[in-house]
Amino acid sequence: MTRSRGKQLYYFTTSYPWGMGFTWKANELVYLREYFDCVTVVPYCYEDNFHSPKPLPEGVSAVEPLFREGTPKIELRTALEIIDRHAGYYATELARKRPFSNRAQLGAWLGASIQTSRLLRHPVIRRIMNAPDPDTSLCFFWGRGACDFLPFVDKRRFRSVIVRFHRYDLFEDENSGYMPYRRQLLESTTIAAPSSEKGVRHLRSLYPDLTKSIRLARLGVPRLPELAMSSDGVLRVLSCSFVTPRKRVDLIADALREVRFPVHWTHVGDGPDMKALRAQVARLPSNVETYLPGNVAADELFKFYQQRPVDVFVNVSTSEGIAMTILECLSAGVPVFATDVGGSSEVVDQTVGLLLPADVTARQLAAELERFHALPTSEKRLRREAAVRRHRERSDVEVLTRELARQLLEPGA
């Protein structure tokens, strides 16, 4: 049977391939390229990387980022001049949502309005808008940013318009309770595609009249070689994230203060709380060894993991979409402990590790790590085998991307 193909796909990103991370998008593009004659990546901004875009998969091209920075500082008078051209659109949202009493919400409305006006003036966006093609598809990462111009586009003039949603662009409680122009955006898409079932339920509960166009589109990772497990009685714990309050890396350090068996903890990642974390780690007892290398390039990360055994991956964030680091570890056969936030419960449970309470304490985490450490090797191997199966069932990038391509080419199916 001949595979259906599209002529053009515009793949909008926050910063990839210029950004510092998100190389997992290359995994999707490898497969999407098979379904389109031309695939063009459109980054929103440089994200502090102005010189070294990452190599793109063969047959995929990219335009220069639309803007130097994501959220420029603009004086109020200048902002009002920028949004003047479509003032009626912006004023209608302001009157309908009335964010006047909340400074953060009012700022969100103004920022989104300026962002939309900037996009509508940009020559790349104008070219796409002014030359629509019924055999062209638009795919957006994420539900804030480059997609903000969509309410000014007739989606029927394209083959499909898919907007992917994850966390910060999806849940109102991550944004002072207000997502500007959310209904207008959803009505402008062929498919609104959260990465988790929780995200799907959330959007459908708020917009029941749009239920049919809100569909799950999970994120995926490749099938990775399995990582080794320890055989010397030391529990080797891995974590990987920014060091910020939301990620609660300090909670892992607090938990390790409570354990009495040999532990080696590796945390990959840096951030504003790194200095405090290093001071905290320096006070851990002698049975706990640590390695905090800071940032590791995304395309080198798995090679870094392979340099040492890994027994359990720990993520204790206060909020998530579905963390790619969790999916990568499952693919590599590593059991995962993760807090029950966002979509983590859709991939993590007791068969592949442990789903922790969202408000887990250091003492609770320490107790669970001790229980895991005491398991027979045969039980640990069962969890590692289950982790690999879980990846194949729910987060295999090839399977998921081919389904995404089908929805791009046959959005009504």
Side-chain angles (χ1 to χ4, degrees), residues 306-381:
Q306 289 178 308
Q307 294 172 9
R308 55 193 58 77
V310 179
D311 297 311
V312 61
F313 181 83
V314 177
N315 179 307
V316 289
S317 295
T318 59
S319 67
E320 285 287 356
I322 293 183
M324 300 300 290
T325 50
I326 289 176
L327 303 182
E328 289 168 343
C329 284
L330 291 174
S331 176
V334 176
V336 172
F337 283 17
T339 41
D340 187 6
V341 296
S344 294
S345 63
E346 297 167 29
V347 291
V348 177
D349 56 28
Q350 69 274 14
T351 63
V352 302
L354 186 65
L355 192 66
L356 301 163
D359 59 352
V360 64
T361 66
R363 185 160 294 180
Q364 287 173 322
L365 177 57
E368 295 299 350
L369 288 172
E370 185 169 359
R371 273 191 275 273
F372 181 81
H373 179 60
L375 288 174
T377 299
S378 59
E379 289 292 326
K380 293 177 182 176
R381 291 193 185 281

Side-chain angles (χ1 to χ4, degrees), residues 172-302:
E172 285 75 9
D173 59 6
E174 297 275 345
N175 296 274
S176 303
Y178 172 51
M179 300 293 287
Y181 306 103
R182 171 50 55 85
R183 172 170 283 280
Q184 295 92 318
L185 174 64
L186 294 177
E187 290 176 344
S188 304
T189 65
T190 311
I191 298 174
S195 63
S196 65
E197 293 174 357
K198 180 177 180 180
V200 170
R201 291 193 298 270
H202 177 72
L203 285 186
R204 286 179 174 175
S205 69
L206 294 177
Y207 305 96
D209 55 314
L210 302 176
T211 291
K212 289 184 179 179
S213 65
I214 299 170
R215 307 180 195 174
L216 177 67
R218 295 190 189 277
L219 302 176
V221 298
R223 301 169 190 174
L224 299 171
E226 293 184 37
L227 296 177
M229 63 185 294
S230 299
S231 58
D232 58 0
V234 178
L235 180 69
R236 288 177 170 83
V237 177
L238 173 67
S239 55
C240 178
S241 70
F242 292 117
V243 186
T244 63
R246 182 173 70 86
K247 294 298 185 179
R248 289 196 297 188
V249 183
D250 60 313
L251 179 65
I252 303 175
D254 283 341
L256 295 181
R257 182 186 296 278
E258 304 281 336
V259 303
R260 297 293 178 262
F261 52 88
V263 177
H264 188 286
W265 174 36
T266 298
H267 177 76
V268 180
D270 206 337
D273 292 348
M274 191 63 173
K275 183 177 179 180
L277 180 65
R278 290 190 183 279
Q280 186 180 8
V281 162
R283 298 190 295 269
L284 289 174
S286 59
N287 61 304
V288 180
E289 294 185 32
T290 61
Y291 180 39
L292 279 63
N295 288 328
V296 175
D299 51 358
E300 295 294 324
L301 189 58
F302 193 74

Side-chain angles (χ1 to χ4, degrees), residues 109-129:
W109 167 83
L110 181 60
S113 302
I114 293 171
Q115 187 163 261
T116 300
S117 287
R118 292 173 78 208
L119 286 161
L120 291 171
R121 295 179 178 193
H122 197 284
V124 171
I125 300 301
R126 290 175 65 85
R127 184 172 70 247
I128 294 171
M129 291 178 63

Side-chain angles (χ1 to χ4, degrees), residues 226 333 351 380-390:
E226 293 184 37
T351 63
K380 293 177 182 176
R381 291 193 185 281
L382 287 175
R383 282 165 173 74
R384 297 177 81 90
E385 292 168 2
V388 173
R389 288 197 300 274
R390 181 63 49 81

